[in-house]
């Protein structure tokens, strides 16, 4: 298995999730939160999925999987507890660009990493399916270290836009962009002073 890590813009793309249990629920939420148009195929749903259906956030087809259900999908998640069904879905899904088999990492062509997200900062962790437990424990450590990085990344974004579009020479721009990633700029007072300094040179 050799997987390319990517950030994918899913807004407006069609995702089909087969199964309505706990795993399907995690995947459907992640997809909806990131703009995908999600359809769930399953004779049962968890309460949490029911709620998303009632809110109109996902579409539910209350039925067992049939081959025609996956026709329109750009991304397909296979997440039933019936191995025969999962195999049948994979057999008819060869034309779908992105396939996640939540029951066997080696069968699809994408896996979902563990994700830590704060504002513009995203840190993804994958073991290529080797140990979701290790992924979970690495994520806990990441959470401890990066929990307060949201506002800092916003500060970096704003300064970088300003520096990039300023009339400073390229060497000076590079120097400043390197300087602001020093840990001390997580401090609000340091940020304020830096902003003032680049405002003066704008
Ligand atoms: C990271 C995380 C994200 C998320 O789920 O959103 C995630 N699993 C998480 C936790 C977790 N999952 C499981 C346990 C129990 C301990 C254990 O079994 O080891 C724990 C631990 C726990 O709960 O702490 C059971 C399990 N998971 C998979 C299988 C099937 C198989 O191994 O093939 C089985 C056995 C099922 C069974 O036998 O019944 C498969 C996958 N799980 C993945 C992701 C993908 C690979 C990620 C990677 O590369 O590391 C992949 C391939 C699915 C995919 O791509 O969709 C999330 C932590 C998020 C967080 O902590 O925030
Ligand atoms: N990826 C992960 O992180 C992870 C974690 C735990 C378990 N799993 C595996 O994922 C699978 C699902 O786990 P779960 O906890 O969500 O199970 P679950 O029992 O909560 O849900 C299974 C769902 O599959 C649906 N289903 C059954 N037959 C169907 C059919 N013919 N068509 C459509 N839907 C059908 C059921 O209605 C139910 O909603 C299991 O095989 C489990 O081993 C994966």
């Amino acid at each position: 298995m050799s997987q390319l890590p990517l950030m994918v813009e899913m807004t407006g793309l069609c995702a089909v999730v087969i199964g309505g249990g706990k795993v399907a629920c995690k995947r459907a939420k992640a997809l909806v939160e990131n703009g995908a148009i999600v359809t769930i195929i399953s004779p049962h749903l968890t309460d949490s999925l029911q709620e998303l259906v009632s809110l109109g956030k996902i579409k539910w087809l209350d039925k067992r999987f049939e081959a025609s259900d996956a026709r329109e999908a750009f991304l397909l998640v296979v997440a039933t507890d019936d191995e025969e069904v999962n195999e049948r879905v994979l057999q008819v899904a060869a034309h779908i660009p992105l396939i996640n088999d939540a029951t066997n990492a080696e069968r699809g062509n994408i896996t979902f990493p563990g994700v830590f997200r704060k504002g513009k900062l995203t840190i993804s962790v994958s073991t290529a399916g080797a140990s979701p437990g290790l992924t979970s424990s690495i994520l806990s450590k990441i959470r401890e270290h990066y929990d307060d990085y949201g506002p800092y990344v916003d500060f970096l974004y704003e300064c970088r836009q300003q520096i990039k579009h300023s009339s400073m020479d390229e060497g000076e721009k590079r120097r400043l962009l390197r300087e602001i990633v020093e840990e001390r700029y997580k401090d609000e007072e340091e940020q304020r002073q830096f902003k003032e300094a680049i405002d003066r040179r704008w």
Side-chain angles (χ1 to χ4, degrees):
M1 198 154 54
S2 164
Q3 298 179 320
L4 171 70
L6 284 177
M7 305 290 280
V8 183
E9 176 60 68
M10 282 299 295
T11 305
L13 293 175
C14 176
V16 174
V17 178
I18 315 296
K22 293 174 291 296
V23 175
C25 182
K26 279 204 286 189
R27 299 289 168 261
K29 275 191 176 154
L31 288 161
V32 148
E33 281 165 11
N34 288 285
I37 299 165
V38 178
T39 304
I40 295 243
I41 318 285
S42 174
H44 292 107
L45 292 186
T46 61
D47 291 349
S48 174
L49 278 172
Q50 286 278 7
E51 202 183 318
L52 288 176
V53 172
S54 319
L55 293 169
K57 298 208 167 165
I58 60 173
K59 183 174 161 192
W60 175 31
L61 301 185
D62 178 2
K63 64 196 272 294
R64 301 188 151 268
F65 171 77
E66 290 169 292
S68 58
D69 295 331
R71 209 178 286 142
E72 304 290 310
F74 171 73
L75 186 155
L76 179 76
V77 174
V78 184
T80 87
D81 55 351
D82 183 331
E83 178 53 19
E84 266 179 46
V85 175
N86 294 340
E87 276 176 20
R88 194 149 46 80
V89 178
L90 290 163
Q91 276 165 15
V92 299
H95 66 286
I96 295 170
L98 301 180
I99 302 174
N100 168 239
D101 184 342
T103 68
N104 181 345
E106 285 166 19
R107 284 198 302 203
N109 60 5
I110 56 166
T111 54
F112 280 74
V115 177
F116 168 84
R117 192 168 256 181
K118 277 280 155 168
K120 290 188 171 61
L121 175 66
T122 301
I123 303 177
S124 302
V125 180
S126 168
T127 62
S131 174
L134 177 63
T135 293
S136 177
S137 113
I138 292 173
L139 276 178
S140 313
K141 292 177 193 153
I142 288 174
R143 237 172 258 129
E144 275 171 34
H145 191 78
Y146 291 99
D147 205 44
D148 56 352
Y149 267 59
Y152 176 45
V153 178
D154 286 339
F155 159 78
L156 292 175
Y157 171 74
E158 284 158 25
C159 291
R160 182 162 183 268
Q161 294 309 309
Q162 198 168 340
I163 292 167
K164 268 188 1 179
H165 298 111
S166 75
S167 54
M168 292 174 217
D169 67 55
E170 292 306 313
E172 183 62 355
K173 286 183 184 177
R174 264 200 307 278
R175 191 189 69 71
L176 288 172
L177 289 173
R178 264 202 311 270
E179 183 181 325
I180 49 172
V181 291
E182 287 169 15
E183 282 254 309
R184 70 187 160 105
Y185 285 111
K186 273 176 64 197
D187 180 77
E188 278 181 25
E189 181 53 26
E190 291 276 358
Q191 292 181 9
R192 198 188 56 74
Q193 287 177 20
F194 186 88
K195 272 190 180 151
E196 265 179 24
I198 55 171
D199 278 346
R200 277 199 299 274
R201 302 178 56 182
W202 180 242

